[in-house]
Amino acid sequence: MKTRYITIIFLFFSLVSFSQEIKGIWSGGINVGENKTINFTFTITKEGQSYSTIIDIPTQRIKGIKAQSTNYKRDSLVIDFSNVGMFYKGVFKTNYSEIKGRITEGLNSFVLNLKRDKIKTNNTLNRPQEPIKPYPYLEENVYFENNKDQIRLAGTLTKPFGNKKFPVVILISGSGPQDRDETISKHKPFLILADYLTRKGIAVLRYDDRGFGESKGIHSEATTYDFATDVLSAVKYLKSRNDIDKNAIGLIGHSEGAIIAPLAANKSKDVAFIISLAGTGISGTELSIMQSKTLRPFPVPDEKIYEQAIRRAIEIAKQDKKIPIIKLELKKHYQETIAPILKNLSVSDIEIDRILNSLVAMRTTKWVRYFYGYNPAVEYEKLNIPVLSLNGSLDTQVPAKINQAGLRQALIKGKNKDFKIIELEGLNHLFQNAKTGNMNEYSEIEETFSPKALAILSDWILTHVE
């Protein structure tokens, strides 16, 4: 009997100490090639019997990603932050002082081993365009409701000093979860844009995407259409203020934001103009096929056959069938088409299976299935408000010529009487002056946003709100 009690007491204290081991700060880095490391910090807390995790990515200047769930059983840790497109699975080692695991984002999977405490990183960046407080204008943290989806959104409103009613623009971020500054590749383009325009006399509202930062909701469960309802909620909020010119509310969308903007504008009589930054003018299907070829990280023996395989994959993904059935069809299709290519590149069977499963998961999200069937040109054709389109000639994600041609044709067909389409020489997808336009170049460039592009934006807006 005594031995039994001793065993029970031992197990009790083991479980108590064991459950405490997970709490705290865990950090590690992933190697992304060319001697580059992206560092992650997971802060794990416990309330009652439930765990929660906040993820920071200091090398990318990203903070406060809230995981959807944190599951911990014995020596296994699973952190689901698919709300922002990522997933972590690890196993505790070395008396629970280290976690060995992998982090997955889309098609990419990396080893990410975590140890206690924060990694010391050199965050010294030369970003000469970033403003330093105190700002010569007012800055206000604001909150507004998307009543349709019952989501509270959080953002920042900057406006010039003075008692007049100011024109205002709403900044709409690109694909993937973004904070209000659209922090990407160590840059904060929306911070720069908001600062520049506010100094020119234009109020700016920028906000955290749903499910990110201080905004509620689940990003991974939303489509481009859903994000448009967030924009409409922002418009409604601005209309409720007595310091905003209700007749001069404009939308500036970057990348996916530029195809969200016309969706929102066509559902509201209160949008006065639209600016498309690196926006697309072709269907989601065609853009996806184009990107699958130009951004593909591996060679293929026959480009034509590869494109046919991608088109067929998208056709399967778009079907009006139950998702499990679509996933089975896609997996079979990839096993017949993509797997042989990867095998010829000496990729292991285990890794091939992981890649195919990631491809299937990516092709069947709610967002991507909507995106495949969405053509922004259809929405731009309906617009009868002023439109400005800016694209960089070195944009490798959204090539300027074909996409601006699509927008131009749509606006002409819709008989829009006030639009301007400009291709800016030497600028990339983020509107930086670039050498190649490749994505791996973004973070290495000091400039965040071309002064020439900023001047074109502000001049065009002021012309249309005076």
Side-chain angles (χ1 to χ4, degrees), residues 281-282 400-410 421:
I282 58 178
K401 286 182 170 52
I402 186 171
N403 284 287
Q404 288 195 326
L407 284 183
R408 185 179 291 105
Q409 290 170 5
I421 296 176

Coordinates of all heavy atoms in Angstrom, one line a residue, residues 281-282 400-410 421:
G281 N -4.8 41.8 -63.7 CA -5.9 42.1 -64.6 C -6.3 40.8 -65.4 O -7.0 40.9 -66.4
I282 N -5.9 39.7 -64.9 CA -6.2 38.4 -65.5 C -6.8 37.5 -64.4 O -6.7 37.8 -63.2 CB -5.0 37.7 -66.1 CG1 -3.9 37.5 -65.1 CG2 -4.5 38.5 -67.3 CD1 -2.7 36.8 -65.7
A400 N 3.9 43.1 -65.3 CA 3.2 44.4 -65.6 C 2.4 44.3 -66.9 O 1.2 44.6 -66.9 CB 4.1 45.5 -65.6
K401 N 3.0 44.0 -67.9 CA 2.3 44.1 -69.2 C 1.0 43.4 -69.4 O 0.0 43.9 -69.8 CB 3.3 43.8 -70.4 CG 4.4 44.9 -70.5 CD 5.3 44.6 -71.7 CE 6.2 45.8 -72.0 NZ 6.9 46.3 -70.8
I402 N 1.0 42.1 -69.1 CA -0.1 41.3 -69.4 C -1.3 41.7 -68.4 O -2.4 41.7 -68.8 CB 0.2 39.8 -69.2 CG1 -1.1 38.9 -69.6 CG2 0.7 39.4 -67.8 CD1 -0.8 37.5 -69.7
N403 N -0.9 42.0 -67.2 CA -1.9 42.4 -66.2 C -2.5 43.8 -66.4 O -3.7 44.0 -66.3 CB -1.4 42.2 -64.8 CG -1.2 40.8 -64.3 OD1 -2.2 40.1 -64.0 ND2 0.0 40.3 -64.3
Q404 N -1.6 44.7 -66.8 CA -2.2 46.0 -67.1 C -3.0 46.0 -68.4 O -3.9 46.8 -68.5 CB -1.0 47.1 -67.2 CG -0.4 47.3 -65.8 CD 0.4 48.6 -65.8 OE1 1.1 48.9 -66.8 NE2 0.4 49.3 -64.7
A405 N -2.6 45.2 -69.3 CA -3.4 45.0 -70.5 C -4.8 44.6 -70.2 O -5.8 45.1 -70.8 CB -2.8 44.1 -71.5
G406 N -4.9 43.6 -69.3 CA -6.2 43.1 -68.9 C -7.1 44.2 -68.2 O -8.3 44.4 -68.5
L407 N -6.4 45.0 -67.3 CA -7.1 46.1 -66.7 C -7.6 47.2 -67.7 O -8.7 47.7 -67.7 CB -6.2 46.8 -65.7 CG -6.0 46.1 -64.3 CD1 -5.2 46.9 -63.4 CD2 -7.4 45.8 -63.7
R408 N -6.7 47.5 -68.6 CA -7.0 48.5 -69.6 C -8.2 48.1 -70.5 O -9.1 48.9 -70.7 CB -5.7 48.8 -70.5 CG -5.9 49.9 -71.5 CD -4.7 50.1 -72.4 NE -3.6 50.7 -71.6 CZ -2.5 50.0 -71.1 NH1 -2.4 48.7 -71.4 NH2 -1.6 50.6 -70.4
Q409 N -8.2 46.9 -71.0 CA -9.3 46.4 -71.8 C -10.6 46.4 -71.0 O -11.6 46.8 -71.5 CB -9.0 45.0 -72.2 CG -7.9 44.9 -73.3 CD -7.5 43.4 -73.5 OE1 -8.1 42.5 -73.0 NE2 -6.4 43.2 -74.3
A410 N -10.6 46.1 -69.7 CA -11.8 46.1 -68.9 C -12.3 47.5 -68.7 O -13.5 47.7 -68.8 CB -11.5 45.4 -67.6
I421 N -3.0 54.3 -66.4 CA -2.3 53.1 -66.2 C -0.8 53.3 -66.5 O -0.5 53.8 -67.6 CB -2.8 51.9 -67.1 CG1 -4.3 51.6 -66.7 CG2 -1.9 50.7 -67.0 CD1 -4.9 50.6 -67.6

